[in-house]
Amino acid sequence: MIALPILLPLLFGTLCLMAWQNPRWQKAISLLGTTAQFGAAIWLLIRVQQNGIQHLQVGNWPAPFGIVLVVDLLSAIMVTVAAAVALVVAAYSQAAIDSPRVQYGYYPLFFFLLMGVNGAFITGDLFNLYVWFEVMLMSSFVMLALGGERPQIEGAIKYVILNLLSSTLFLSALGLLYNLAGTLNMADLALRLPGLETGNQITLIAMLFLVAFGIKSAIFPLLFWLPASYHTPPVTITALFSGLLTKVGVYALFRVFTLLFVQDTAYTHTILLILAGFTMVTGVFGAAAQTDLRRLLSFHIISQIGYLLMGLGLFSQPALAASIYFMVHVILAKTSLFLVAGIVEKMDGSYNLKELGGIYSTSFGVALLFLLPALSLAGLPPLSGFFAKLALVVAGFDLHQYAIVAVGLGVSLMTLYSMTKIWNEAFWKEPKDPVHHAKHKPISSWLWASTAVLVFISLLAGLLAEPLLNLANQAAAQLADPSIYIQAVLGVAP
Amino acid sequence: MVLLLAITAGVLFAAAIYMILRRSLMKTLVGLLLLSYAVNLLLFTSADLVPARPALVDADSLLPPTVYADPVPQAFILTAIVISFGLTAFAITLMRQVYNTLGSDDLNEMRCTDVPCEEVEIASEEELLEEPL
């Protein structure tokens, strides 16, 4: 049953709704549900890896007439990483989410968000992708505004307006594409688009998709909603968003720019490459100016999106493989960093780097939990970030794209600077107020244990770089050759 | 007919973008509404407009008639209408919440996300009345 990644969150989300009055039950259900989800995702990944692309004709309507769910390796990898993040965040939420938020439906929203994310990963139909985007957005809107503090509400307004705009652009691109090709089934589109005599119209529609997904994945110059909204909700929610939401936008870009819009790559993918460079630079320079831990990390989400886009812009199989591995790395590392930021705030009562200090001397464990993903993000061996960047750089050199490689390496140095800044300010320097500092609040074991698990997974992603890069390479091989996808879904060779 | 619909959709898009760029939240909301109408019209014209030929198969035939109105874009529009209905309802609630929390619907006042809240001064009611939004 490849629909399990959609059905399980739906089931457990509904169970949470039924236990509305009983937070204790909801917490138990959330752990059970995310564990089941993780198991199903692993099973799906193994199955796809062994048997090739899986698909399901929903309602037994044959593609391209009905909606079809398709799981290729990229989808399976994304579903698995999302499930891992969800499991860890659910465990973290046990202690981190305050009881009013639980009473107003945090857990049901959590599962419906997950359902939207997974739906977007495994659908094989563009209009269905739009619907899953909306499912995901609706939950994220409410999660962002839940609690109703002033910064949250203001952040939510910006987030909601820009995301509605992006959804509308996506929908108009769908209308234009349907007019051109008469279908929105991705495999069918991939089959038909190369044969159409349409001049520049396809490129035009491709650019409309780029803008729509670009807003969602926060690429330059469409990124300003992200640092204005992501830091406002409780850090658990930020961690979940940073791991899943923008990555769905990037996944959608990967899907359409490898399967559908590959007619004029000299034009479209060069634009992607240029945007990738600007995204990296803007993100990392934006981060340099920040003193709030959450805002600083939010800007780093953006600069890392640039690396993901770089692999897509280079558009060769090794580059795509590097980007897929990078995606796994950045989701794990980034979510861990936000979770650690949450622990730091619980201990010291602030996110402000100027007020923090001395955590290394009082709590070595927390400092270590920060240091590993931070150095991984900056790209130091033997952590996952190093191998991800190495693979990207090698792919860039192979294609003689020296400019983007130089930008990528420069931004990497700047990331290291940013991470050492956090390290110096929050962990290393003498605390501002030693008396207050001595009274560190105790940390619930849910918080540090769940964070430690995620950091450990992130560490594994670095130590097991070889098998993971092989897997990413298989996924990239499927992306690089659309005929595999078409053959699997429609059963005809193009 | 297609030309007329195209022009109407274009005008709606322009009006929507203009309204979204206003500072008042209510006007932004109107802009978002207009935008969803514009897109629905666009979707409607995405298949050839065939009048009075529903996509129904005759009782004594196995195949649909050779010329018929494509029902798929209409299904798209229905879905899009339902979704935009839900989103608009949420957006209105959120905007009301903003007004309750801030006492203002001016987007320029919403800088709490960029600088600490204490440094943001909320304009008094007189100032709001004097300044056209």
Side-chain angles (χ1 to χ4, degrees):
Chain A
M1 272 301 281
I2 66 162
L4 277 182
I6 298 176
L7 294 178
L8 284 177
L10 178 65
L11 172 71
F12 286 99
T14 318
L15 285 179
C16 281
L17 278 180
M18 289 161 81
W20 184 264
Q21 300 290 344
N22 198 333
R24 197 179 287 265
W25 273 96
Q26 288 193 34
K27 286 182 175 181
I29 292 170
S30 77
L31 282 181
L32 190 69
T34 45
T35 312
Q37 163 85 14
F38 186 61
I42 294 278
W43 171 79
L44 193 62
L45 180 64
I46 292 171
R47 193 167 145 174
V48 172
Q49 207 263 334
Q50 286 174 349
N51 303 341
I53 299 177
Q54 304 287 308
H55 74 293
L56 173 77
Q57 325 262 16
V58 177
N60 216 9
W61 289 90
F65 303 108
I67 291 168
V68 61
L69 300 178
V70 187
V71 189
D72 66 352
L73 259 179
L74 174 64
S75 304
I77 292 172
M78 295 302 292
V79 167
T80 311
V81 181
V85 167
L87 179 57
V88 167
V89 171
Y92 193 89
S93 306
Q94 306 287 321
I97 294 293
D98 47 308
S99 61
R101 282 196 172 82
V102 174
Q103 276 163 14
Y104 282 99
Y106 170 78
Y107 285 110
L109 287 167
F110 176 88
F111 277 111
F112 293 133
L113 180 82
L114 209 58
M115 178 171 84
V117 169
N118 283 339
F121 285 150
I122 67 175
T123 185
D125 182 283
L126 276 180
F127 193 81
N128 197 231
L129 180 65
Y130 164 75
V131 175
W132 287 122
F133 262 127
E134 297 307 308
V135 171
M136 175 184 97
L137 283 179
M138 199 67 204
S139 316
S140 71
F141 289 165
V142 185
M143 266 182 140
L144 194 63
L146 201 65
E149 291 155 22
R150 185 173 163 193
Q152 264 191 300
I153 294 283
E154 289 185 13
I157 270 288
K158 294 167 188 177
Y159 179 77
V160 167
I161 293 176
L162 277 168
N163 272 295
L164 286 184
L165 187 67
S166 131
S167 297
T168 331
L169 289 175
F170 181 17
L171 198 55
S172 29
L174 288 180
L176 295 174
L177 193 59
Y178 186 81
N179 179 254
L180 207 61
T183 178
L184 286 180
N185 180 295
M186 291 189 209
D188 203 21
L189 276 172
L191 193 63
R192 289 194 196 188
L193 286 182
L196 292 175
E197 294 287 330
T198 50
N200 287 330
Q201 281 186 42
I202 292 186
T203 313
L204 183 81
I205 294 171
M207 290 300 107
L208 204 50
F209 273 104
L210 177 61
V211 175
F213 294 145
I215 295 179
K216 288 190 198 298
S217 48
I219 64 177
F220 179 86
L222 310 162
L223 52 87
F224 294 98
W225 59 269
L226 192 147
S229 62
Y230 263 30
H231 64 287
T232 56
V235 76
T236 323
I237 296 176
T238 313
L240 191 67
F241 283 13
S242 83
L244 301 182
L245 292 194
T246 46
K247 306 306 177 287
V248 178
V250 177
Y251 165 83
L253 281 174
F254 265 72
R255 189 56 79 203
V256 298
F257 280 97
T258 55
L259 189 61
L260 307 181
F261 305 122
V262 287
Q263 285 80 23
D264 191 4
T265 50
Y267 181 78
T268 50
H269 288 65
T270 308
I271 290 186
L272 282 171
L273 206 54
I274 294 169
L275 289 180
F278 277 110
T279 310
M280 286 185 224
V281 173
T282 320
V284 86
F285 277 108
Q290 303 301 323
T291 53
D292 181 304
L293 200 47
R294 291 171 303 170
R295 271 177 72 78
L296 201 161
L297 291 175
S298 296
F299 272 103
H300 275 295
I301 299 179
I302 296 167
S303 76
Q304 304 301 316
I305 297 280
Y307 286 99
L308 298 175
L309 218 54
M310 175 178 158
L312 182 60
L314 290 172
F315 201 58
S316 67
Q317 192 184 323
L320 288 172
S323 264
I324 294 168
Y325 179 68
F326 201 102
M327 183 103 85
V328 175
H329 142 71
V330 79
I331 291 177
L332 297 174
K334 199 79 238 183
T335 312
S336 321
L337 283 175
F338 272 109
L339 295 182
V340 176
I343 294 181
V344 167
E345 197 268 346
K346 278 274 188 305
M347 287 171 72
D348 255 12
S350 174
Y351 288 111
N352 193 335
L353 288 180
K354 287 175 184 156
E355 289 169 16
L356 292 168
I359 294 175
Y360 178 77
S361 58
T362 50
S363 177
F364 175 73
V366 175
L368 191 68
L369 284 184
F370 169 79
L371 197 60
L372 286 173
L375 293 181
S376 174
L377 201 69
L380 262 65
L383 301 162
S384 54
F386 170 74
F387 296 107
K389 281 175 183 164
L390 181 70
L392 266 180
V393 166
V394 170
F397 275 135
D398 283 347
L399 297 168
H400 306 289
Q401 297 280 6
Y402 301 112
I404 191 76
V405 170
V407 171
L409 292 175
V411 168
S412 193
L413 268 183
M414 288 290 290
T415 311
L416 187 60
Y417 155 75
S418 246
M419 291 301 138
T420 43
K421 184 171 104 178
I422 301 178
W423 176 257
N424 282 337
E425 295 290 322
F427 294 89
W428 202 245
K429 80 172 179 212
E430 288 298 312
K432 209 174 174 185
D433 176 8
V435 184
H436 165 76
H437 183 68
K439 292 183 287 186
H440 268 323
K441 292 199 188 76
I443 297 300
S444 156
S445 46
W446 280 112
L447 297 186
W448 66 259
S450 56
T451 312
V453 167
L454 196 62
V455 170
F456 180 69
I457 299 176
S458 162
L459 203 59
L460 274 188
L463 298 176
L464 300 177
E466 175 78 33
L468 277 178
L469 268 168
N470 273 338
L471 188 68
N473 202 30
Q474 291 171 25
Q478 289 179 352
L479 290 184
D481 184 6
S483 62
I484 303 175
Y485 191 94
I486 300 171
Q487 174 79 38
V489 178
L490 297 176
V492 291
Chain B
M1 190 60 187
V2 174
L3 189 66
L4 186 66
L5 282 173
I7 292 172
T8 316
V11 171
L12 278 173
F13 266 114
I17 298 294
Y18 176 76
M19 290 303 268
I20 288 175
L21 294 177
R22 303 292 291 269
R23 275 165 52 197
S24 159
L25 270 184
M26 274 316 291
K27 287 169 185 162
T28 309
L29 180 71
V30 172
L32 288 174
L33 280 174
L34 288 178
L35 199 62
S36 70
Y37 297 153
V39 175
N40 287 343
L41 265 189
L42 183 84
L43 280 177
F44 185 59
T45 42
S46 69
D48 292 338
L49 297 175
V50 181
R53 293 282 183 92
L56 298 176
V57 183
D58 289 330
D60 51 353
S61 153
L62 283 175
L63 293 171
T66 45
V67 178
Y68 63 92
D70 190 348
V72 179
Q74 299 166 19
F76 290 162
I77 297 174
L78 273 180
T79 316
I81 287 176
V82 173
I83 290 175
S84 79
F85 174 76
L87 289 173
T88 310
F90 176 76
I92 293 173
T93 324
L94 182 66
M95 284 172 186
R96 188 179 154 71
Q97 194 61 36
V98 169
Y99 189 77
N100 284 345
T101 316
L102 269 75
S104 159
D105 78 334
D106 184 352
L107 275 165
N108 276 8
E109 304 281 335
M110 295 173 202
R111 294 185 295 127
C112 249
T113 52
D114 304 313
V115 290
C117 270
E118 303 82 57
E119 293 170 25
V120 181
E121 284 183 20
I122 299 184
S124 63
E125 259 178 61
E126 293 89 58
E127 277 177 75
L128 283 178
L129 288 175
E130 281 164 21
E131 211 176 331
L133 292 173

